[in-house]
Amino acid sequence: MRIETVAIEGIVAITPPRFGDHRGYFSEVFKDAWFRENVADVTFVQDNESLSAQAGTVRGLHFQIAPFAQGKLVRCLAGRIMDVVVDIRVGSPSYGKWLSQELSPDTGKQLWIPAGFAHGFATIEPNSVISYKVTAPYSPQHDRGIAWNDPAIGIRWPFDERDMVSSDKDKTLPRLADLPSHFSYSAQQPQD
């Protein structure tokens, strides 16, 4: 598997190799031992899947707080998405910064998002299907989010904001400036 470093510490892009012939291809998209050794030593407890029928659908920016904080391994099974993460770890050098990766079945790229980041995506193509593994089960009491269109974050979405489709819940999420401190940053110390 190929690991790609990205601009925000902790986020990892992973592209599994594909072995193809005249029938199509085969790919190991997840191996627990490899993931633990090369990306993060975590246990995934649930797989989620969502379909967004319309291009320009935005979901997020979501996260869960302790004790149900989630790490997510996201991939796109159909269509194409702009996957977005925002660093919400207080004290992080990249606090409030965002990055995006395009995910599609054409590339097979996946994005690892540890706890401490808000996550969302916008569909670039209709009928986009997203699958993601999580390290904690869904807990409505611990479910939180920030506004996907917060001007202080300044995400450059692939569509004009007026044309994007979102849920009523996502339209009422607070801005980053109004978010309580749920996560704190601690720099990784070198191992001896």
Side-chain angles (χ1 to χ4, degrees):
M1 294 199 192
R2 189 178 84 232
I3 294 179
E4 175 187 339
T5 56
V6 296
I8 296 179
E9 178 190 349
I11 305 299
V12 179
I14 304 161
T15 305
R18 291 180 172 175
F19 306 96
D21 61 22
H22 65 282
R23 299 167 298 169
Y25 70 83
F26 170 82
S27 182
E28 287 183 344
V29 297
F30 177 76
K31 267 178 115 166
D32 184 69
W34 181 91
F35 192 88
R36 287 175 185 272
E37 185 177 324
N38 294 284
V39 180
D41 189 11
V42 297
T43 300
F44 291 105
V45 299
Q46 183 174 314
D47 281 18
N48 299 326
E49 184 173 301
S50 73
L51 163 70
S52 297
Q54 185 175 334
T57 298
V58 63
R59 294 182 186 247
L61 302 162
H62 302 144
F63 61 94
Q64 287 190 176
I65 59 172
F68 291 94
Q70 293 178 325
K72 298 177 181 178
L73 180 61
V74 182
R75 67 188 187 119
C76 181
L77 302 179
R80 194 162 48 109
I81 67 166
M82 175 182 155
D83 207 44
V84 175
V85 297
V86 177
D87 190 345
I88 56 172
R89 302 169 298 171
V90 174
S92 167
S94 54
Y95 178 80
K97 304 288 187 220
W98 66 276
L99 69 76
S100 69
Q101 294 278 309
E102 185 174 296
L103 303 182
S104 75
D106 295 337
T107 65
K109 183 187 282 189
Q110 303 175 46
L111 198 61
W112 163 244
I113 306 156
F117 293 86
H119 170 253
F121 63 87
T123 57
I124 299 170
E125 294 181 2
N127 298 314
S128 291
V129 177
I130 313 313
S131 175
Y132 54 102
K133 297 179 169 304
V134 293
T135 59
Y138 174 68
S139 172
Q141 299 83 5
H142 300 89
D143 187 29
R144 303 288 189 277
I146 52 176
W148 59 270
N149 57 354
D150 184 341
I153 299 171
I155 298 169
R156 292 184 300 276
W157 295 100
F159 297 93
D160 186 281
E161 181 178 323
R162 295 168 298 200
D163 299 326
M164 294 181 76
V165 177
S166 66
S167 70
D168 290 340
K169 171 189 159 189
D170 288 353
K171 290 176 183 175
T172 62
L173 292 174
R175 293 182 177 200
L176 182 64
D178 300 322
L179 191 68
S181 176
H182 294 296
F183 300 95
S184 60
Y185 173 82
S186 64
Q188 296 293 328
Q189 298 298 320
Q191 305 255 338
D192 292 332

